[in-house]
C-alpha cells in the first residue's frame, strides 16, 4: 500500500468518525444526532421481538444558564462532566447520543423501562448534587 492510499484511508476514517461522533464529545464516546437516527432505526428493525431495549431522553435544565452566566467554555465543561457521570452510572453498553445542545438520548439494549429506572434515578441524584449552586458557582465547575 502506497503513501497516497494510506493517507486516503486515514482521511476516510477521520471523516467517518466525524459523522458518527459528536465533534465536541467524541473523546468520551458520545455519538452524533445523525448516528442516533441511523442506530435507532437499525435497532428497531433488527432487535428480536422478545428482546428489550430502552430509550431514555434527557434535557439538562440549567446548563443553558451556566453558558450565559459563566461562558460557553464553562458550559462545555459542565456538559462533559455530566456525561462522564452518566457513562459511569448507566449500564454497560448504553449508547449516548447528543440530539441538541443540552439534549441527549440514551439507548440501552436488553433493559425494560422498569429495569432502567433505578439507573436513571441514580443519574438524577448524582447530577443534582454536582449541579447545585454553592458560593455562586456550580460545584461541577470547581472540579
Amino acid at each position: 500500500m502506497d503513501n497516497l492510499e494510506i493517507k486516503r484511508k486515514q482521511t476516510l476514517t477521520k471523516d467517518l468518525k466525524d459523522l458518527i461522533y459528536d465533534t465536541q464529545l467524541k473523546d468520551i464516546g458520545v455519538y452524533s444526532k445523525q448516528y442516533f437516527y441511523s442506530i435507532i432505526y437499525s435497532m428497531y428493525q433488527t432487535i428480536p421481538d422478545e428482546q428489550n431495549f430502552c430509550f431514555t431522553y434527557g434535557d439538562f435544565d440549567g446548563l443553558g444558564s451556566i453558558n450565559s452566566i459563566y461562558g460557553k467554555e464553562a458550559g462545555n465543561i459542565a456538559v462533559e462532566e455530566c456525561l462522564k457521570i452518566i457513562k459511569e452510572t448507566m449500564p454497560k453498553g448504553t449508547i449516548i447520543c447528543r440530539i441538541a445542545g443540552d439534549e441527549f438520548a440514551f439507548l440501552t439494549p436488553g433493559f425494560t423501562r422498569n429495569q432502567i429506572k433505578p439507573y436513571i434515578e441514580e443519574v438524577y441524584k448524582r447530577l443534582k448534587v454536582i449541579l447545585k449552586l454553592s458560593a455562586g458557582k456550580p460545584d461541577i465547575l470547581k472540579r
Side-chain angles (χ1 to χ4, degrees):
M1 192 176 318
D2 65 1
N3 285 342
L4 184 60
E5 184 66 23
I6 291 170
K7 181 72 172 163
R8 198 178 351 225
K9 284 188 178 192
Q10 289 171 337
T11 302
L12 180 60
T13 301
K14 183 192 175 305
D15 290 347
L16 286 172
K17 283 182 179 178
D18 288 346
L19 287 173
I20 292 172
Y21 289 102
D22 180 275
T23 307
Q24 176 193 349
L25 302 170
K26 66 182 167 189
D27 292 341
I28 55 176
V30 175
Y31 296 100
S32 68
K33 176 172 52 175
Q34 293 79 7
Y35 183 73
F36 166 75
Y37 289 130
S38 68
I39 191 102
I40 196 154
Y41 180 76
S42 174
M43 287 176 82
Y44 181 75
Q45 295 294 319
T46 60
I47 289 182
D49 290 340
E50 64 276 0
Q51 184 179 344
N52 297 309
F53 86 92
C54 193
F55 168 79
T56 309
Y57 182 84
D59 183 344
F60 298 127
D61 291 333
L63 287 180
S65 61
I66 290 174
N67 270 350
S68 60
I69 295 169
Y70 301 104
K72 187 174 180 181
E73 186 176 331
N76 291 342
I77 291 168
V79 167
E80 289 174 20
E81 291 300 316
C82 287
L83 289 168
K84 286 177 187 175
I85 287 171
I86 290 168
K87 281 190 78 104
E88 291 169 5
T89 308
M90 292 294 282
K92 191 174 185 101
T94 297
I95 299 166
I96 302 174
C97 303
R98 186 180 218 166
I99 304 302
D102 64 351
E103 299 171 19
F104 295 85
F106 310 95
L107 304 171
T108 312
F111 282 77
T112 65
R113 180 173 41 184
N114 289 335
Q115 291 170 321
I116 204 71
K117 189 175 180 182
Y119 293 95
I120 299 298
E121 289 170 350
E122 181 64 20
V123 165
Y124 177 78
K125 185 171 74 175
R126 290 183 68 191
L127 290 181
K128 188 176 173 184
V129 168
I130 66 160
L131 286 173
K132 73 178 174 127
L133 291 175
S134 66
K137 198 169 195 181
D139 288 347
I140 199 167
L141 297 178
K142 295 179 181 177
R143 291 178 166 207

